[in-house]
Amino acid sequence: MAAPRDGFEAVEAEGSAECRGSSGMEVVLPSDPAVPAPLCPHGPTLLFVKVTQGKEETRRFYACSACRDRKDCNFFQWEDEKLSGARLAAREAHNRRCQPPLSRRQCVERYLKFIELPLTQRKFCQRCQQLLLPDDWGQHSEHQVLGDVSITQLRRPSQLLYPLENKRTNAQYLFADRSCQFLVDLLSALGFRRVLCVGTPRLHELIRLTASGDKKSNIKSLLLDIDFRYSQFYMEDSFCHYNMFNHHFFDGKTALEVCRAFLQEDKGEGIIMVTDPPFGGLVEPLAITFKKLIAMWKEGQSQDDSHKELPIFWIFPYFFESRICQFFPSFRMLDYQVDYDNHALYKHGKTGRKQSPVRIFTNIPPNKIILPTEEGYRFCSVCQRYVSLENQHCEHCNSCTSKDGRKWNHCFLCKKCVKPSWIHCSICNHCAVPDHSCEGPKDGCFICGELDHKRSTCPNIATSKRANKAVRKQKQRKSSKMKMETTKGQSMNHTSATRRKKRRERAHQYLGS
């Protein structure tokens, strides 16, 4: 897998590549769903295939669900590979070594002891990112230690912990206070009483802080996150160590039941899921996971409510819109720009292409979501939703068409609005950036070329697989024939060489006699 790339351009390029599908990785269903996927330190692996437009599908392989950089998790196994008992045992031992040093129960016990300590004895090791009990002080005497850790600081662990900023794995770009407060106020205004926070630790913190400081606020929150360090700060009913790319609960059935009970409380009423996945993550495994959480929520619904949907806020860059809506057709993208404290580019208030590309995708009707007018958002009476200041309503498209916060221009040849920096290319017959390559890969499905789906959902995939299988068999027959001819040729050459050697020996004997 490719090494991480930083910056807006890299994320946008990756998002565009996934939408376009010229070349890249796809998640596929295993040949035999009954066979469990092999395990890596991050739980069950996913089955991938590398696809390139116009080329035959390559050999499928298992790799880590959470880490797309082999430096972070080097698990790799061909789908049809058979491992020896020794290799399997070594893998299991490696997986155990990579797990957190303390169990969930041990973390809770330490936390309860820690909060009972007087302020002067509450210490936090910044190197090890660990709360310290008095018995631990000697082991960390040479480390940088923060003392006098207050209850307020314990309630804001995201400010104590160093963010993990590998965008393909953890990508802890934490919500800025502006966006976080907006979300909390919006969730309260919409009447939600419970929030399932999937990968949103700062939102989880603020919800709990608001509930503890405001008697009128009765919103509860459960955090699911892959960062095990949060286990030190929360009880079992507030945090689950969780991998959103494969729906894996690291603490097993106990944590799974905590999540199930939270989703099904009050017969599933009054709950919303808010998720902020790493932007380098593939959309398909995320969508599969979210559908499993939806199914878990639906288990607590009566048959009369089977038509209802679990309300969701999926926070992701705008250029993934087509992929997200492919899996969740009822989702709509809001114009609200989400910004982050510890990201150099994703900041509110920047203009042009430098403004944050991160948006909220939701199945809640947009006309119910009020965006802050003091930040320039306004209500479009035609579209029946709030839009950004520069997002002008296009009479030809009959919509507020801008996706990135800038004013888009209508192209009468393409019959749609496009980014202001794009021009119409007479060779490609569509709008694109001025320095684009006309020879570049075209949008659409690898198999049939249609624009509305990917190769994995193509109706002609069965025919394509049969054709690929036939091609592979033909190649195998050709390869076998070439090997046979090579072996036969080598055998004949060996026989000829033996005959020549014998003739030389007879001639030598004759001449020597």
Side-chain angles (χ1 to χ4, degrees):
M1 310 238 178
R5 298 170 297 176
D6 296 324
F8 171 84
E9 291 81 1
V11 179
E12 182 174 32
E14 186 169 341
S16 301
E18 183 174 358
C19 297
R20 180 173 61 249
S22 59
S23 176
M25 297 294 175
E26 280 191 11
V27 179
V28 293
L29 295 175
S31 302
D32 186 359
V35 178
L39 301 177
C40 77
H42 302 93
T45 54
L46 297 180
L47 187 60
F48 292 91
V49 62
K50 185 174 182 179
V51 291
T52 304
Q53 193 162 13
K55 293 187 178 181
E56 182 183 346
E57 181 181 299
T58 56
R59 193 176 176 188
R60 306 197 297 188
F61 61 91
Y62 288 101
C64 179
S65 62
C67 304
R68 293 176 62 193
D69 189 344
R70 293 285 297 280
K71 294 178 182 177
D72 297 317
C73 182
N74 63 0
F75 185 97
F76 183 91
Q77 179 182 323
W78 294 113
E79 181 189 19
D80 53 1
E81 184 178 0
K82 303 298 181 184
L83 301 184
S84 65
R87 281 191 64 187
L88 288 173
R91 177 181 291 171
E92 290 177 6
H94 172 72
N95 290 346
R96 285 194 298 270
R97 287 194 301 270
C98 292
Q99 296 310 305
L102 299 175
S103 69
R104 187 74 181 91
R105 169 47 53 186
Q106 288 173 318
C107 288
V108 171
E109 290 174 353
R110 286 175 60 86
Y111 175 72
L112 293 175
K113 291 178 182 178
F114 189 89
I115 59 177
E116 290 177 354
L117 294 172
L119 182 63
T120 55
Q121 294 185 20
R122 292 195 207 127
K123 298 183 179 182
F124 177 76
C125 179
Q126 293 180 313
R127 181 199 285 188
C128 302
Q129 298 284 279
Q130 179 183 337
L131 294 175
L132 301 181
L133 296 176
D135 292 343
D136 306 322
W137 293 352
Q139 303 171 24
H140 301 265
S141 58
E142 302 297 323
H143 300 177
Q144 186 175 356
V145 174
L146 178 68
D148 298 341
V149 178
S150 66
I151 296 297
T152 302
Q153 287 175 298
L154 290 175
R155 289 175 175 172
R156 300 299 301 266
S158 68
Q159 296 181 351
L160 280 175
L161 300 170
Y162 293 133
L164 304 174
E165 296 186 351
N166 182 339
K167 80 179 183 67
R168 291 173 179 257
T169 309
N170 302 97
Q172 287 180 325
Y173 296 129
L174 303 169
F175 292 143
D177 288 342
R178 161 192 166 268
S179 292
C180 206
Q181 190 63 57
F182 164 75
L183 286 170
V184 172
D185 293 343
L186 177 60
L187 296 172
S188 178
L190 291 171
F192 292 108
R193 301 185 299 276
R194 299 189 315 287
V195 184
L196 182 66
C197 295
V198 184
T200 58
R202 186 154 285 181
L203 177 64
H204 177 64
E205 290 174 6
L206 190 56
I207 290 172
R208 290 170 59 84
L209 277 173
T210 304
S212 63
D214 183 1
K215 294 181 180 180
K216 294 181 180 179
S217 175
N218 60 349
I219 301 181
K220 295 193 298 184
S221 176
L222 172 63
L223 174 63
L224 310 183
D225 201 283
I226 198 169
D227 188 353
F228 70 89
R229 298 177 301 172
Y230 284 104
S231 299
Q232 307 174 77
F233 300 92
Y234 296 116
M235 305 294 285
E236 292 101 323
D237 61 349
S238 300
F239 171 75
C240 296
H241 188 199
Y242 178 76
N243 182 352
M244 71 172 78
F245 288 98
N246 58 5
H247 188 54
H248 176 65
F249 290 87
F250 290 88
D251 297 306
K253 189 175 181 181
T254 302
L256 173 65
E257 292 306 319
V258 168
C259 181
R260 189 191 307 277
F262 188 82
L263 282 168
Q264 296 179 6
E265 186 179 329
D266 294 336
K267 297 182 180 179
E269 292 294 324
I271 188 169
I272 183 172
M273 184 179 88
V274 182
T275 182
D276 181 32
F279 301 152
L282 294 173
V283 171
E284 186 166 2
L286 290 170
I288 292 171
T289 287
F290 298 157
K291 287 183 178 182
K292 289 179 180 178
L293 290 171
I294 292 170
M296 192 186 298
W297 170 76
K298 276 187 173 291
E299 290 172 4
Q301 301 282 301
S302 65
Q303 290 186 349
D304 295 337
D305 296 329
S306 59
H307 65 284
K308 290 185 177 180
E309 290 187 10
L310 172 67
I312 295 176
F313 282 169
W314 182 341
I315 298 167
F316 227 46
Y318 69 82
F319 34 80
F320 284 96
E321 181 182 18
S322 62
R323 292 289 287 137
I324 291 175
C325 293
Q326 178 184 342
F327 292 101
F328 296 100
S330 63
F331 278 26
R332 297 293 178 266
M333 187 179 79
L334 306 180
D335 269 24
Y336 184 81
Q337 294 181 19
V338 180
D339 60 332
Y340 297 81
D341 264 351
N342 57 324
H343 198 292
L345 296 176
Y346 298 172
K347 299 283 189 182
H348 175 69
K350 291 180 180 268
T351 57
R353 200 170 183 273
K354 293 182 179 180
Q355 55 196 314
S356 174
V358 186
R359 302 290 184 270
I360 300 173
F361 296 87
T362 182
N363 52 1
I364 299 174
N367 61 353
K368 293 184 177 181
I369 299 175
I370 300 174
L371 303 187
T373 54
E374 64 273 14
E375 294 182 9
Y377 297 101
R378 57 181 179 79
F379 188 76
C380 176
S381 58
V382 181
C383 295
Q384 285 293 295
R385 68 183 181 96
Y386 277 82
V387 296
S388 61
L389 185 63
E390 295 296 320
N391 192 358
Q392 301 297 315
H393 191 89
C394 176
E395 295 180 356
H396 309 286
C397 298
N398 195 29
S399 174
C400 294
T401 53
S402 173
K403 307 291 185 183
D404 62 5
R406 297 177 292 172
K407 183 181 183 300
W408 284 22
N409 302 322
H410 188 83
C411 175
F412 291 95
L413 296 174
C414 292
K415 297 181 180 179
K416 65 178 183 179
C417 286
V418 297
K419 294 181 179 181
S421 57
W422 287 18
I423 60 172
H424 192 86
C425 176
S426 57
I427 300 175
C428 300
N429 198 29
H430 64 77
C431 288
V433 293
D435 57 348
H436 74 283
S437 172
C438 297
E439 302 297 327
K442 296 182 179 180
D443 291 350
C445 171
F446 290 169
I447 296 173
C448 66
E450 293 295 329
L451 303 177
D452 59 349
H453 63 268
K454 288 188 71 178
R455 167 197 157 279
S456 57
T457 57
C458 181
N460 300 324
I461 192 170
T463 305
S464 174
K465 284 183 176 179
R466 286 195 296 269
N468 288 339
K469 189 175 181 180
V471 170
R472 282 196 297 270
K473 284 186 175 180
Q474 186 177 2
K475 287 182 177 179
Q476 288 172 356
R477 286 196 297 267
K478 187 176 180 181
S479 177
S480 300
K481 185 178 179 181
M482 290 176 66
K483 286 180 180 178
M484 289 177 63
E485 290 177 350
T486 302
T487 304
K488 184 178 179 181
Q490 290 174 346
S491 177
M492 292 178 66
N493 290 340
H494 177 72
T495 303
S496 301
T498 303
R499 287 174 180 173
R500 287 195 298 269
K501 183 178 179 182
K502 287 182 177 180
R503 282 200 297 268
R504 285 196 299 270
E505 288 175 352
R506 286 197 298 268
H508 179 72
Q509 291 173 357
Y510 176 77
L511 292 172
S513 62

